[in-house]
Amino acid sequence: MTRRGASRTAAAGRGTGRRLRGPAVRGTLAALAALVVVTPFLGAWSYDSARRAVSAQADAPYAESGQSTGEIVKAAASAPIVLAYHDINPEPTNEYTLTPQQLDTQLAKLTAAGYRALSTQEFTRYLTTGTSPAPRTVYLTFDDGTRGLWAHADQVLAKHKMRAASFLITGAVGTHRPYYLSWAEIDRMKASGRWDFQDHTHLSHERAAIDAAGHQGSVLANRLWLPESKRLETEDEYRTRVRTDLDESLRAFAGHHLPAPQLFAYPFSETAGPTNLAARNTSVLERLLRERFTASLTNVSSRPLPAGPRAAAARQVERLEVMRTTSTDTFVKRLNEWVSRSPAEVPEPLRNPEQWRFPGSPSGTGLAALTGKGVPNGTYVSAVHLPMGTADWNTYRVTATVAGLSGTKTSASVEVGHGSLVPVTVTVSETGMRVTERPAGGTERVTTGKLTPASAHRLDLEVSPGGVRVTVDGGQALVARATKTLDPARTSGGVSLAVRNETGKAAWPRFTALHIAP
């Protein structure tokens, strides 16, 4: 008898004005005793049912008519592009949830461009060997382990003959139904051959107080405030807590007969977030992850880390995050920024304004700022050429011609190895040159020289893992970063340009030519 049923019986007794006696009392007591005994089992059964529940699947949507005309670049051989998704639902309630139609359209674009989706095993093999089973590939990742992957994304993958990886918050599986996947749904996804499963913590995908004022921060990347003790966790307590969470997650994989995860996705992309760990120990989380996983994935990085040798050396891979607000045109445009190109595939970068990015510059800044227009408010502007698509360049030649130089208050710069741990920048003014080496964690090294005064100069930079050979106006060569001890993955990177004008006049120095060759 349920509690509601018992209430109805009691009410009926009161309505007749009779008291329950004898057998009636014994029957009521027996029913109450049974209720006390059964209730915990009912709760456990309900919880277990939620964990074992399997939702119905929706069919993949029909192809959308009137799609955008933009196409994904078909590079000769591109490194895998890692895409980061979250939930899929026909009625999205937040910016992280795409509709099945959006996912279908995006995968159709990838299929039309000849892209193949990698398994986690294939992707990690690429990171360790540098070889890919196809010239154009993607690695599709879905964070959090939401039910929408089974109910709505799975049949879209089947339609396009693609596969993906779901990064599970293992402690959330089977909870908050119908939001998270159940273990039974995970079993069916695994059996389909379209999914594998990777790590997204056990129960550390949340924020909590990290100081006495109650400011919130990621529990994975910060020591927590302990209100009972009125203090922060010690670093030993932090390390123990994080280690326990990661190991509990690995036990959940083993306990449900899933292969041990090889990759870890940072909740909230902690790699770029603030932390209250002491500076000497900010890498403690990284060490804990390296002990357990081949690499970690993040959506925000302090330097470009698309899948490739540079990312493999850092054991951290940057993903291209796809949001509900990402239109098909934007999806194609951003993918084209991530497609890795060889130096031979982009010989004349100044002819392709869409390939340049202007970090830190006013909105609307374009390539014209480097070719004579400058910026209306400011004295300096810089731009990077395809920072994701050129991250693994390590052997190439740059030839640039600069004009419009006047005195010492105007200059132009070419940087090679952009985003590497040892970039080299060559700066010229009307009368001089400066070569700057900025090793990460090391001492900046500057070499200067005089030039025959002229308003225009030609720069030649020959880049290799062992050094950068710099020649200006065909003069004597200078070799920067001359060493054989650095791994190419530490020195790799593409080209950035900058111009400076401190004269207060409208005439800016300008790049009149830029050529890149193998």
Side-chain angles (χ1 to χ4, degrees):
M1 180 184 294
T2 65
R3 293 184 184 275
R4 183 176 298 174
S7 298
R8 283 199 298 267
T9 301
R14 288 193 300 271
T16 60
R18 294 177 298 182
R19 297 178 63 187
L20 297 172
R21 293 191 176 95
V25 171
R26 290 193 294 274
T28 301
L29 292 176
L32 289 173
L35 181 63
V36 170
V37 172
V38 170
T39 296
F41 293 99
L42 289 174
W45 176 83
S46 176
Y47 174 70
D48 189 56
S49 295
R51 292 165 65 87
R52 292 186 290 109
V54 177
S55 304
Q57 282 191 311
D59 292 333
Y62 290 105
E64 195 175 49
S65 60
Q67 294 181 10
S68 62
T69 57
E71 299 299 332
I72 300 171
V73 171
K74 297 180 181 179
S78 177
I81 299 173
V82 187
L83 297 179
Y85 293 94
H86 293 83
D87 197 9
I88 305 296
N89 195 295
E91 298 180 0
T93 57
N94 59 60
E95 62 182 343
Y96 295 100
T97 303
L98 276 69
T99 65
Q101 186 67 67
Q102 284 179 295
L103 180 63
D104 180 71
T105 300
Q106 292 170 6
L107 297 191
K109 283 288 186 183
L110 289 166
T111 301
Y115 278 77
R116 176 191 157 187
L118 298 178
S119 67
T120 297
Q121 184 177 14
E122 290 172 323
F123 179 69
T124 53
R125 185 184 300 125
Y126 169 81
L127 290 179
T128 55
T129 67
T131 59
S132 178
R136 291 183 288 277
T137 58
V138 289
Y139 179 50
L140 304 176
T141 69
F142 290 80
D143 283 358
D144 305 335
T146 61
R147 185 187 67 96
L149 307 190
W150 163 254
H152 302 291
D154 181 64
Q155 290 305 299
V156 180
L157 291 178
K159 173 182 175 180
H160 295 283
K161 296 181 174 58
M162 287 197 173
R163 58 181 303 147
S166 171
F167 284 71
L168 301 175
I169 307 169
T170 51
V173 175
T175 69
H176 302 289
R177 294 285 290 173
Y179 185 72
Y180 289 112
L181 289 165
S182 68
W183 286 113
E185 288 166 342
I186 289 171
D187 287 341
R188 296 200 181 190
M189 291 165 71
K190 175 188 173 185
S192 75
R194 287 185 289 275
W195 295 90
D196 52 53
F197 300 91
Q198 302 302 308
D199 207 297
H200 203 36
T201 78
H202 183 63
L203 280 174
S204 289
H205 193 298
E206 59 182 26
R207 301 185 188 278
I210 60 173
D211 59 27
H215 294 113
Q216 300 282 300
S218 160
V219 304
L220 194 69
N222 290 276
R223 292 184 293 158
L224 300 183
W225 178 255
L226 306 177
E228 300 84 2
S229 307
K230 297 182 179 179
R231 64 174 177 85
L232 277 176
E233 283 181 313
T234 66
E235 297 209 353
D236 282 343
E237 288 171 332
Y238 163 82
R239 186 181 295 105
T240 298
R241 173 173 59 80
V242 172
R243 181 188 296 114
T244 300
D245 180 89
L246 295 175
D247 289 344
E248 184 66 25
S249 185
L250 296 179
R251 282 192 290 272
F253 274 85
H256 289 87
H257 309 292
L258 294 175
Q262 301 175 67
L263 300 173
F264 178 86
Y266 283 97
F268 314 116
S269 285
E270 279 95 343
T271 52
T275 178
N276 59 15
L277 293 172
R280 68 182 183 280
N281 282 333
T282 53
S283 61
V284 63
L285 175 58
E286 183 179 323
R287 289 198 298 272
L288 290 171
L289 294 175
R290 288 188 175 198
E291 291 169 0
R292 292 160 176 79
F293 306 101
T294 301
S296 56
L297 307 184
T298 180
N299 301 341
V300 182
S301 178
S302 59
R303 63 191 182 106
L305 287 175
R310 180 197 284 185
R315 293 185 65 176
Q316 185 178 115
V317 181
E318 191 172 351
R319 301 183 292 181
L320 174 54
E321 189 172 27
V322 186
M323 312 291 282
R324 180 172 62 86
T325 53
T326 305
S327 68
T328 304
D329 286 339
T330 300
F331 177 78
V332 170
K333 179 181 177 182
R334 295 197 66 196
L335 268 170
N336 286 339
E337 295 172 4
W338 283 57
V339 172
S340 55
R341 328 284 180 90
S342 70
E345 291 177 298
V346 284
E348 302 287 349
L350 294 182
R351 295 186 179 183
N352 299 282
E354 75 284 355
Q355 295 179 355
W356 292 87
R357 295 293 161 262
F358 296 80
S361 297
S363 178
T365 302
L367 190 56
L370 295 175
T371 57
K373 183 178 180 180
V375 289
N377 299 307
T379 60
Y380 179 85
V381 62
S382 63
V384 186
H385 176 246
L386 290 174
M388 307 305 287
T390 65
D392 289 300
W393 284 9
N394 56 46
T395 305
Y396 58 100
R397 178 175 179 172
V398 180
T399 303
T401 303
V402 183
L405 297 167
S406 176
T408 59
K409 291 188 175 182
T410 63
S411 63
S413 303
V414 177
E415 180 193 60
V416 292
H418 173 78
S420 77
L421 299 180
V422 280
V424 174
T425 304
V426 181
T427 303
V428 293
S429 64
E430 182 182 23
T431 60
M433 65 175 289
R434 181 175 70 252
V435 178
T436 307
E437 305 171 53
R438 298 185 179 88
T443 303
E444 181 177 275
R445 178 182 175 186
V446 179
T447 304
T448 61
K450 294 183 179 180
L451 299 175
T452 301
S455 62
H457 294 294
R458 174 190 167 107
L459 294 75
D460 286 282
L461 289 77
E462 296 181 10
V463 183
S464 70
V468 180
R469 187 174 186 271
V470 180
T471 306
V472 178
D473 297 333
Q476 185 175 355
L478 180 153
V479 178
R481 202 189 67 203
T483 176
K484 295 182 179 179
T485 61
L486 290 175
D487 187 294
R490 292 170 55 85
T491 65
S492 65
V495 177
S496 72
L497 305 179
V499 289
R500 179 180 64 93
N501 178 12
E502 297 179 349
T503 65
K505 299 178 181 179
W508 280 70
R510 61 190 183 276
F511 283 90
T512 59
L514 180 66
H515 184 78
I516 296 176

